Amino acid sequence: MQQRRELDQVYTNRKLLNGQLDTPKWWLPTVSILGVVVLIGVVVIATMINKGLGVTGLARPVYWGLFITTFVFWVGISHAGIMISAILRLTQAEWRRPVTRAAELLTVFSLLTALVFPLIHAGRPWRIAYWIMPYDISRGIYPNIRSPLIMDPVAISTYLTGSTLFLYIALLPDLGNLRDRTTGWKNAMYTVLSLGWRGNPRQWKMQTVGGILLSALMLPIFVSVHSIVSWDFAVAAAVEGWHSTIFAPYFVIGAVHSGVSAVVTMMALMRWLWKWDDFIRPEHFDALARLLIVVATGWLAFTFLELTFALYSQDAPEIALREMQMFQWPWNALFIIFFLTAYAIPVPMWLFKRVRTNIALMFWTSILVNIGMWLERFLIIVPGLARRTPFVYTWEAYRPSAVEWTIFIWSFAWVTFLMLLFSKFFPLVPLFEQKESQVFTEDVMIGRAKIPAIIREAD
Amino acid sequence: MRKSILGLFQQPEPAADAMDGLKEAGFELGTFDVLTGTPYPEGAFGEHVPQHRLFRYPAFGAIIGFTLAVFLTSVTQLAYPMVTGGKPILSIFAMLIIMYEMTMLAGVIATVIGIVIESRLPNMQPGIYDTRITEGWIGVVITFDDESKVADAESVLNKAGALEIKHA
Amino acid sequence: MASQAVAHEAEHHAPPPNVDADVVTRELIATTTGASGRFKAWTWGLGILSVVGIVALILKFIDQGDDSTKWGYVAALVSFLLSVTGGAPMVAMAPVMAKANWVRPITRIAALFSFAGVATIIMLIPLVAILPPLVTEGARRRTVWYMAPDYSPHFWTTLSLVLLLITGIALFYSAALPDFASMRDHSTGWRQRLGKRLARGWVGTDVQWRTLRMRIGMFGSFYFLILVFVNFLVSTDFGQSMVPGWRDAIFPMYHTVSGFQAGVAGVVIALYFSRKYMKLEKYIHLDAFWSLGRLLFALTLLWIYFFYSSFIVFWYGRSENDIATLDLLIKGPMIYAFFAGMILLWFVPWWILIWNKVRRGTAMMVVGSFVILIGLLIDRIRTFVPAWSVPGDQIHQKWLKVIPETVWPDIFDILIMAGGISLVAFIVMMMTRVIPVLSVWQVQEFNLLAKPIRYMKGHATLVAKPD
């Protein structure tokens, strides 16, 4: 599986730092266009805050719609980082190397984006300060720590802080490298950021041991974050389809599915845009696809359990909800699209090695997965609320407005914009990990076969 | 200011031989070190394996985080004692989540601080260095209290095959 | 002095040396013969206890076969045995699929547990007879079978457990072919004849090796799917479905994951005793305990995660249903079992396994594993005994209105549990007389692929990673 490529360090530096030392031709136009979209999104958000949530399609009984769906979606995407960086580091999988930093970065930026949604969803975001600050700002009101809506920001902030710090620590050797390759103000910036990194055995040992320790600490956080987000829904007994004990692991495994697919999308783009064919190779996509098959099948099992035990209760409202979700327009169309895109199309394709090593096919199937996973969250959140229509006054079914769609598109532009900005100053592929793989891998002859081998340190 | 010299090698084996040579020449462990642009298996250069206390940092951080979280969750619930959803005022099971997150957050922050400190960073006067180290060269740096030993060190480095020796 | 200290430290950290292939074959085949007096005494003792347990099972069926409320402990035992014997072969399968090298020497000992699935089926037989049909007194209880025939749980659970046993044995046999050939060539007496028959002409051609790997992959995946399905059926049909209103979507996965935890714990215990009493330190490296320790630690944390995910939804919901479920399974008749189970299945193993030094050794690892197994048995009692204690005329209600009293085990239950657990240990021990406890060809493969080397001035292991 792992083809050993002999790449000297000068070449590695030159190729992987091409984003920082040169500027690719496509970078500025792309960032400019994204910047315009981001600006439009910000203006729309500001307008919404000014005019109120009435400009969205949200109304009784569907109080949570596109914004919360997209919030859960971005939290889900963020689970890629730790999955790839931490779990694969702990299991010493060699094929993680080109992917880890980009995945961690996706985590940080998608969490930042996810956090925006509950803020703007409040209608009057400044009021959040009153009920989130553990301080008697206003008439003795304190955060209600029993509410999952308080647990959410705590968990997401913890994950965001941890991921950012993890990203920075792992960036130190590469900051040292950039310091050595630059002059002028850039050199000064990297000198400060690298904290005086030299590369002696003590510092490298701290990278290794610290990386493992941080991975071990971040893993429980990663599991807890999406579980807590799922409890926003699961602890509510009043909404059909929500009060299920399986939500926590179901959401987590769905997040891993969607997050790792997003990493596949990102890796394909990185290979094509920065011409990193030597570093991001078909074998990496093969390994990721095999991981995705396992994760997706696990996700399917959890979906099956969720549906089975929803019907298990034999509760008329619950059964009516499921009938609506699967057989009534427009939910039935969304359901079919969701199932096809999240599992039925991509996973059977990934069973074939020819597909797994075809980067274009992996790119498109990974996008399909994320379309499906967004729809999954939409189908969990909105139908359960929409079904309460007979009991309250409503004028029409929930239909997301142009404002909501604009902000939805803004979120994608914002994450991409941030990633591209980052790529201008910091390498997306960890250089020291690539170089480490040159040191820690060898070819060994067993009979006439040349087998790739890994050097494992003695304990 | 202590004097230092840096021997530069293009291959790791001569650098490892230089480290051995310095040990045999009687230089104390801790006065010489190897600089690389990529991690090597531990002990590859025969270097002194550094002892660290990194594991104490997350433990310490976790205790602080846990204590803070217990305080925060209990005090906020007791300060505004409102029954929500039939739950007790001090809802331990709900508190557990915030306690868990804050414990982990403090643990992670403490670990990061620990990594930085144990790496002996920030070190804004890092001493003698060469930018080619991050291009694959290996540096063997020796620091002297007594300048009379500089010649011995240079001799060891040259014997091992150093391509260049820098002085600071 | 300093150089001696450095040299000693270097040797201490050096990986264990490889063993020549012919020595591997000779020594591992020799483990099937020459059982020590202690081994024979234990086998006899476990065998007698197993027989006593089966006799007690028959007597209980004769005496109490018409009262399902007295069969909770047997149901808990079936779940426990399924967890251990079903979960252990996963150690032979999952790391192999992930191409981990450390697991190669120990896959056999994990796969041997699938034979002990016979114990699960023996204990299941009376339970299937006593399990109420889906419709009782004209009312259908809540079940995953919806409108299926009344005896669906009975049929499908039995079938799936038998299928699990067969698949486990198929997985074992697929991987054992080369070792049967080794027995054909190097054993004597009945073992040699058995090896000749079961080796089926194995000579080690390229085609045979490729077919072997394909079979292991296929049966391994199939085994995993069936195991999850069996856990789903046993936990719902023999647990949740017996309690009106107990709707817990996570319970099947909770049952499965705690089953993996128990399986890994079982493998650790088996490895420890094999290594110590069969003098297999050369083959069962500390590396295996280190990797299994990490897996066990992760599964221990997963237990509390699954438990809390379930608990918090009931606790927040606070409907009559939710409160009744919590009362039955946690706060009411099973409160002491709940605390004991939680402490032994999560808290104590967490604080044992968290230390690197423990996971790099063997003694505390086996202590932690025993604690986990005891904790799991108590936890299964906590969930299945109250489930079965609900009277048959109440199981089709909307929710549980009267929480049953604590059901304590009688002498039959104690003997049955002791017998069932003994039977598992007995079967595993007896299988080590039939085939080497470690896979000969996989130990040889491990030595071929992982070689200790000198890397410049240090020590390392070179691990080849063929596709």
Side-chain angles (χ1 to χ4, degrees):
Chain A
M1 170 164 86
Q2 294 135 45
Q3 303 140 16
R4 177 165 158 73
R5 305 285 295 270
E6 300 266 356
L7 298 166
D8 76 63
Q9 293 200 24
V10 175
Y11 177 77
T12 304
N13 286 347
R14 188 161 43 84
K15 282 297 269 190
L16 292 178
L17 296 178
N18 62 0
Q20 295 78 52
L21 302 179
D22 307 308
T23 306
K25 286 198 186 68
W26 54 264
W27 190 86
L28 197 55
T30 313
V31 166
S32 307
I33 293 168
L34 287 171
V36 167
V37 176
V38 164
L39 204 56
I40 293 171
V42 169
V43 166
V44 169
I45 290 171
T47 310
M48 185 180 78
I49 291 171
N50 181 258
K51 301 254 183 257
L53 285 177
V55 301
T56 67
L58 298 169
R60 276 197 300 256
V62 182
Y63 289 115
W64 285 354
L66 218 77
F67 288 159
I68 297 299
T69 306
T70 313
F71 159 69
V72 178
F73 174 77
W74 283 115
V75 175
I77 296 278
S78 76
H79 276 47
I82 294 305
M83 175 73 206
I84 284 171
S85 176
I87 292 182
L88 297 185
R89 190 186 299 254
L90 289 175
T91 53
Q92 297 177 295
E94 275 294 308
W95 54 270
R96 75 176 191 281
R97 292 186 187 279
V99 197
T100 53
R101 180 159 308 140
E104 286 159 19
L105 206 55
L106 187 60
T107 295
V108 171
F109 292 143
S110 53
L111 280 174
L112 275 173
T113 309
L115 264 179
V116 167
F117 284 91
L119 286 179
I120 61 174
H121 204 281
R124 285 178 276 192
W126 56 90
R127 292 276 178 109
I128 287 174
Y130 297 155
W131 60 265
I132 211 164
M133 290 292 150
Y135 185 75
D136 185 5
I137 293 175
S138 174
R139 296 189 292 276
I141 296 176
Y142 286 97
N144 174 18
I145 62 100
R146 297 174 219 126
S147 166
L149 296 180
I150 294 289
M151 297 171 190
D152 261 0
V154 174
I156 292 173
S157 312
T158 303
Y159 192 32
L160 179 59
T161 311
S163 299
T164 310
L165 290 171
F166 194 3
L167 182 68
Y168 177 63
I169 289 293
L171 204 46
L172 279 174
D174 288 351
L175 290 170
N177 198 343
L178 278 163
R179 170 200 62 203
D180 296 345
R181 307 274 87 76
T182 50
T183 55
W185 67 268
K186 281 189 181 173
N187 177 268
M189 177 178 78
Y190 292 124
T191 304
V192 169
L193 287 173
S194 65
L195 303 180
W197 173 270
R198 298 183 84 206
N200 60 34
R202 186 178 194 92
Q203 290 172 351
W204 284 121
K205 186 162 173 104
M206 286 305 104
Q207 279 289 313
T208 313
V209 175
I212 290 172
L213 192 50
L214 278 174
S215 300
L217 287 172
M218 290 302 294
L219 267 175
I221 298 176
F222 137 91
V223 172
S224 70
V225 168
H226 219 41
S227 304
I228 290 167
V229 169
S230 79
W231 291 332
D232 284 342
F233 312 103
V235 298
V239 182
E240 292 99 39
W242 284 12
H243 195 52
S244 177
T245 51
I246 205 161
F247 264 38
Y250 178 40
F251 270 51
V252 170
I253 202 167
V256 174
H257 184 29
S258 114
V260 176
S261 300
V263 167
V264 169
T265 311
M266 200 174 50
M267 274 171 61
L269 287 170
M270 279 161 59
R271 179 183 152 109
W272 291 331
L273 292 173
W274 280 278
K275 311 220 184 312
W276 287 336
D277 299 30
D278 286 322
F279 303 97
I280 299 174
R281 301 187 291 268
E283 74 221 42
H284 298 117
F285 291 89
D286 179 36
L288 278 168
R290 288 201 234 186
L291 174 65
L292 275 169
I293 292 170
V294 173
V295 169
T297 309
W299 169 84
L300 187 71
F302 278 95
T303 309
F304 166 76
L305 283 173
E306 195 248 328
L307 194 58
T308 304
F309 283 91
L311 300 171
Y312 178 90
S313 64
Q314 299 286 295
D315 261 346
E318 184 78 45
I319 294 176
L321 167 72
R322 300 298 166 165
E323 276 177 2
M324 181 182 111
Q325 255 180 345
M326 289 196 262
F327 302 114
Q328 269 183 44
W329 176 264
W331 310 107
N332 55 356
L334 292 175
F335 188 86
I336 291 169
I337 297 170
F338 139 67
F339 187 72
L340 285 174
T341 51
Y343 191 88
I345 294 174
V347 176
M349 285 177 69
W350 291 336
L351 293 173
F352 299 96
K353 186 159 181 163
R354 258 190 308 181
V355 173
R356 294 199 300 268
T357 48
N358 182 318
I359 295 170
L361 281 177
M362 286 303 299
F363 174 75
W364 291 112
T365 49
S366 61
I367 288 181
L368 273 185
V369 166
N370 275 311
I371 293 171
M373 293 310 289
W374 188 91
L375 282 171
E376 185 225 23
R377 275 67 171 250
F378 189 77
L379 286 167
I380 288 173
I381 295 171
V382 177
L385 291 169
R387 247 203 45 82
R388 296 163 77 75
T389 310
F391 301 104
V392 296
Y393 281 114
T394 55
W395 284 268
E396 58 185 27
Y398 172 63
R399 200 158 287 134
S401 70
V403 165
E404 289 172 277
W405 286 117
T406 310
I407 296 174
F408 168 75
I409 293 166
W410 162 85
S411 68
F412 286 86
W414 176 234
V415 171
T416 318
F417 178 74
L418 288 172
M419 297 279 287
L420 287 177
L421 264 187
F422 183 93
S423 74
K424 185 74 197 92
F425 297 100
F426 307 103
L428 288 180
V429 174
L431 278 89
F432 79 91
E433 289 223 38
Q434 289 298 312
K435 295 173 188 176
E436 190 182 21
S437 78
Q438 296 291 307
V439 169
F440 278 77
T441 55
E442 255 184 46
D443 285 330
V444 73
M445 296 300 292
I446 297 179
R448 296 231 191 281
K450 200 200 273 193
I451 312 282
I454 294 167
I455 295 170
R456 288 241 194 283
E457 287 172 308
D459 285 331
Chain B
M1 179 139 161
R2 295 168 87 194
K3 186 163 173 57
S4 309
I5 63 171
L6 175 70
L8 289 162
F9 302 82
Q10 261 192 319
Q11 297 299 329
E13 288 84 5
D17 292 336
M19 296 283 285
D20 269 351
L22 289 166
K23 267 182 253 169
E24 281 161 21
F27 284 90
E28 266 180 45
L29 293 173
T31 59
F32 59 96
D33 212 351
V34 61
L35 305 179
T36 54
T38 172
Y40 278 80
E42 199 174 295
F45 293 96
E47 75 274 16
H48 170 60
V49 176
Q51 295 299 309
H52 66 87
R53 286 185 289 261
L54 188 61
F55 294 110
R56 296 188 191 182
Y57 289 85
F60 180 66
I63 291 168
I64 303 234
F66 182 80
T67 313
L68 264 174
V70 170
F71 172 75
L72 185 74
T73 51
S74 331
V75 163
T76 49
Q77 287 182 105
L78 291 171
Y80 198 70
M82 192 167 73
V83 173
T84 54
K87 300 178 195 55
I89 298 296
L90 271 183
S91 294
I92 309 262
F93 301 116
M95 286 160 66
L96 279 176
I97 295 175
I98 307 270
M99 281 158 59
Y100 168 84
E101 293 294 338
M102 287 187 67
T103 306
M104 299 302 289
L105 177 64
V108 166
I109 292 173
T111 305
V112 167
I113 292 170
I115 292 171
V116 171
I117 292 173
E118 291 287 334
S119 300
R120 305 291 184 255
L121 296 172
N123 180 11
M124 297 329 260
Q125 289 176 333
I128 191 168
Y129 184 74
D130 192 288
T131 58
R132 285 172 289 181
I133 284 169
T134 43
E135 281 186 334
W137 289 54
I138 321 282
V140 176
V141 61
I142 309 112
T143 316
F144 307 91
D145 285 325
D146 175 9
E147 285 200 22
S148 64
K149 303 203 85 181
V150 173
D152 291 340
E154 281 182 357
S155 152
V156 169
L157 292 174
N158 281 321
K159 194 172 161 192
L163 295 169
E164 197 179 314
I165 297 177
K166 287 168 82 163
H167 293 255
Chain C
M1 275 296 276
S3 60
Q4 275 177 353
V6 167
H8 169 75
E9 202 182 68
E11 289 311 315
H12 177 67
H13 288 303
N18 285 155
V19 181
D20 289 335
D22 56 341
V23 174
V24 170
T25 307
R26 195 176 60 245
E27 289 188 356
L28 290 183
I29 300 264
T31 62
T32 59
T33 57
S36 67
R38 196 203 310 245
F39 182 94
K40 286 178 186 161
W42 271 97
T43 323
W44 270 106
L46 289 168
I48 290 167
L49 258 180
S50 309
V51 170
V52 166
I54 293 171
V55 168
L57 187 68
I58 295 168
L59 290 175
K60 186 178 173 93
F61 187 71
I62 293 168
D63 187 45
Q64 299 166 4
D66 54 351
D67 185 0
S68 64
T69 62
K70 296 200 164 41
W71 286 81
Y73 283 89
V74 178
L77 178 69
V78 165
S79 159
F80 175 76
L81 295 180
L82 166 66
S83 297
V84 177
T85 63
M90 287 301 297
V91 175
M93 195 279 284
V96 172
M97 301 292 233
K99 305 200 175 141
N101 201 48
W102 58 268
V103 79
R104 289 183 211 273
I106 66 172
T107 54
R108 171 68 44 73
I109 206 164
L112 286 180
F113 276 81
S114 49
F115 283 93
V118 163
T120 316
I121 292 176
I122 291 173
M123 296 296 156
L124 180 77
I125 293 167
L127 219 55
V128 167
I130 291 161
L131 180 73
L134 293 180
V135 177
T136 48
E137 296 175 5
R140 191 179 184 92
R141 67 173 184 274
R142 285 199 191 89
T143 169
V144 295
W145 296 104
Y146 308 118
M147 293 298 129
D150 289 359
Y151 286 90
S152 299
H154 309 69
F155 176 73
W156 291 107
T157 307
T158 311
L159 180 67
S160 61
L161 266 166
V162 169
L163 203 55
L164 185 72
L165 175 69
I166 293 170
T167 313
I169 292 173
L171 179 63
F172 156 82
Y173 182 59
S174 311
L177 269 172
D179 282 5
F180 283 126
S182 294
M183 284 166 60
R184 173 196 66 203
D185 300 338
H186 300 283
S187 288
T188 54
W190 64 267
R191 290 183 181 85
Q192 199 240 355
R193 289 190 296 276
L194 181 72
K196 187 173 177 182
R197 187 173 285 268
L198 292 179
R200 294 177 59 222
W202 175 274
V203 290
T205 65
D206 195 41
V207 170
Q208 284 177 334
W209 280 114
R210 274 191 272 130
T211 313
L212 176 120
R213 287 191 205 286
M214 185 201 72
R215 281 198 196 124
I216 291 174
M218 200 174 69
F219 283 121
S221 310
F222 204 41
Y223 182 86
F224 175 65
L225 294 172
I226 295 177
L227 180 66
V228 173
F229 186 58
V230 168
N231 273 280
F232 167 67
L233 288 185
V234 168
S235 61
T236 41
D237 290 337
F238 288 78
Q240 276 193 70
S241 199
M242 308 289 286
V243 179
W246 181 14
R247 179 173 80 106
D248 191 346
I250 211 177
F251 189 63
M253 291 316 281
Y254 167 87
H255 195 273
T256 310
V257 170
S258 51
F260 291 153
Q261 189 186 2
V264 175
V267 170
V268 168
I269 291 171
L271 274 179
Y272 173 80
F273 285 111
S274 312
R275 186 174 190 263
K276 185 166 178 170
Y277 294 107
M278 292 185 184
K279 309 265 184 284
L280 294 173
E281 292 87 349
K282 264 193 299 197
Y283 305 108
I284 303 175
H285 302 138
L286 293 179
D287 211 30
F289 288 89
W290 168 250
S291 301
L292 286 174
R294 283 189 299 184
L295 187 55
L296 204 50
F297 182 65
L299 289 168
T300 301
L301 294 182
L302 269 178
W303 181 86
I304 189 68
Y305 169 67
F306 276 98
F307 171 76
Y308 188 82
S309 300
S310 166
F311 172 81
I312 200 70
V313 169
F314 291 129
W315 188 79
Y316 265 85
R318 281 170 195 265
S319 62
E320 293 93 338
N321 207 5
D322 293 334
I323 292 171
T325 308
L326 286 182
D327 277 345
L328 179 74
L329 297 174
I330 293 170
K331 291 192 285 186
M334 284 288 143
I335 187 163
Y336 299 118
F338 164 67
F339 279 115
M342 173 177 273
I343 289 167
L344 294 176
L345 205 43
W346 166 60
F347 193 78
V348 168
W350 175 26
W351 285 104
I352 291 177
L353 296 170
I354 200 169
W355 310 105
N356 281 349
K357 266 200 186 131
V358 165
R359 297 199 305 273
R360 284 205 177 97
T362 57
M364 285 308 288
M365 278 287 297
V366 85
V367 167
S369 300
F370 268 118
V371 167
I372 284 170
L373 288 181
I374 296 168
L376 184 74
L377 181 61
I378 294 173
D379 195 60
R380 294 294 191 246
I381 289 170
R382 173 184 75 86
T383 41
F384 285 85
V385 169
W388 280 70
S389 66
V390 176
D393 57 355
Q394 291 179 28
I395 58 176
H396 50 267
Q397 291 174 348
K398 205 163 163 58
W399 68 77
L400 195 64
K401 291 188 173 65
V402 177
I403 307 295
E405 293 293 316
T406 313
V407 173
W408 295 97
D410 58 24
I411 184 66
F412 290 130
D413 293 326
I414 294 169
L415 289 174
I416 291 167
M417 285 198 289
I421 294 166
S422 303
L423 186 56
V424 168
F426 176 76
I427 292 172
V428 173
M429 287 177 78
M430 290 309 288
M431 286 307 296
T432 66
R433 306 295 89 209
V434 175
I435 191 162
V437 70
L438 300 184
S439 172
V440 176
W441 71 271
Q442 289 192 297
V443 171
Q444 290 168 343
E445 190 185 26
F446 175 82
N447 287 335
L448 187 67
L449 296 179
K451 293 196 184 307
I453 57 167
R454 290 281 300 187
Y455 188 89
M456 296 200 311
K457 311 291 177 191
H459 293 271
T461 308
L462 189 66
V463 180
K465 293 272 186 181
D467 223 354

